Amino acid sequence: MSVIISDKLPWYYSIRWRLALSYVLISIVPLLIFIFTIMVAIEDYFVRDRIAEIQPRALIMSDIVTRFNFDTRHIETRVRTRSADWGVRIIVIDYRARVIEDSNWAALDSLIGQTLLRPDVLTALAGNNTTELRRGEENVLYVTISTRDEISGRNGAVMLVANVDDIYASLAEIRTTLFLYSLAVVLAVFMLIFVMSHRIIEPLRKIVRVVQRMRAGQLNLRIPVVSRDEYAILARTFNNMTEKLEQVEKTREEFVSNVSHELKTPLTAIKVLSESILSQDSVPEELSREFMQDISSEVDRMVKITDDLLALVKVDRREQSMNITQTDLNELVEDILKRLAPLAEQKKVVLLYEEVRLVQIEADEVKLVLAISNIVENGIKYTPGGGTVKVIVDSDHQNAYITIKDTGIGIPEDEQDKIFNRFYRVDKMRDRDTGGTGLGLAISHATVLLHNGNIRITSKPEEGSAFVIRLPIRIN
């Protein structure tokens, strides 16, 4: 019983879904990297912009502190006024790292009178300006400017502290917007690919459906070719394979029919002859002997057919081991012609041999003798008396060629591609006269293919035929 496998696959096995999901997975990583890179660049831009805004103000305060020589009586009001105007905290530090003024003087976190031994403060006291961004619950930017204390001759510092939570609030909004837009793009492209993948996968589904129906026995089905892409190539290849399968099935049916016919004929003859003997009470010895000889001949014919069938099956299935040896092709052909010479003399056919080159090949000598003999013997059988059969041995640097020409009855052009089929005969009326089984050429063809060679034929009715056997000199 044929079982058709359903084409309803779980979605996670579907090429369509895997194609779409693969796009999503492949696109998410670059997208995340892109968003991260953009956000870093935007953050850097905003922070630099805020530093560029605060640094000039820090320099202004530095000039004020220097002009009044760190005198808190004169800088106190200016620090608190500028702090309110600029929206920053201003801290003035003397050369001992002690805070002498803080715009948050009234707050609990006022640093007035405290010593700040922070790295950025120490760097400023050493004469270098610094900027530092501290991230946490509050995002704070510190801009510290070195200031000269003319009385002591040492460096002090002015520090401006700015809350930059607004920057990170804006960054969060931008990040959310970028993510939502990116997600929308990914989903839109995902849907587009999912829809387009239907057009990509549908031809494959059609192929699968045809294959499943063929598996159920409908070998006459073909896949329509409507495009020029890889699916079209696959469809054409599959259709060619289907035609070959259909041809194989047809050949198999013909083969069974031919085998039945070939075996039925001698069996019928044996039955008729034996019944003729049994139906008579007393059969003359001479007639009985003649009938028994006819029965023996028919049995021999059945044995010959059976042997040829077994030989052909073994060659087709590669069951016979190849005994490859270095073979003198010229000597092999000469021996074949010597053995067939009596048959040629009986038919009054002239057997000729031409040796163009001396050829050594790698071959299974026993099998090759059978293959060449069958073709030469066919040429002799189908050549009228007075005709010729000529065998030519030649080669090039890669292949050996055995050409077998006859002046026989010839083969019509529309029959030439069928002569290597099992039991096929061009002239059905001559079957019994020639005495063949109709398997000789099929065995020859299969044997030559087994040697990685081929057979080519040219022929015209009533003018004769030429078979050219090509064999590689070396079998790889």
Side-chain angles (χ1 to χ4, degrees), residues 311-312 315-316 318 367-368 370-375 378 416-422 438-457 467-471:
L312 187 58
V315 171
D316 282 347
R318 306 298 194 264
K367 293 182 178 63
L368 192 56
L370 178 61
I372 298 174
S373 297
N374 285 338
I375 298 176
N378 257 32
Q416 292 176 15
D417 60 343
K418 304 174 184 176
I419 61 171
F420 296 115
N421 293 349
R422 297 156 175 79
L439 295 171
L441 289 180
I443 293 173
S444 296
H445 186 250
T447 302
V448 170
L449 291 180
L450 200 61
H451 283 78
N452 297 330
N454 60 39
I455 304 179
R456 180 168 47 87
I457 179 175
F467 289 80
V468 180
I469 302 173
R470 181 192 64 80
L471 296 168

Side-chain angles (χ1 to χ4, degrees), residues 6 35 167 249 469:
S6 173
I35 293 176
I167 291 179
E249 179 64 18
I469 302 173

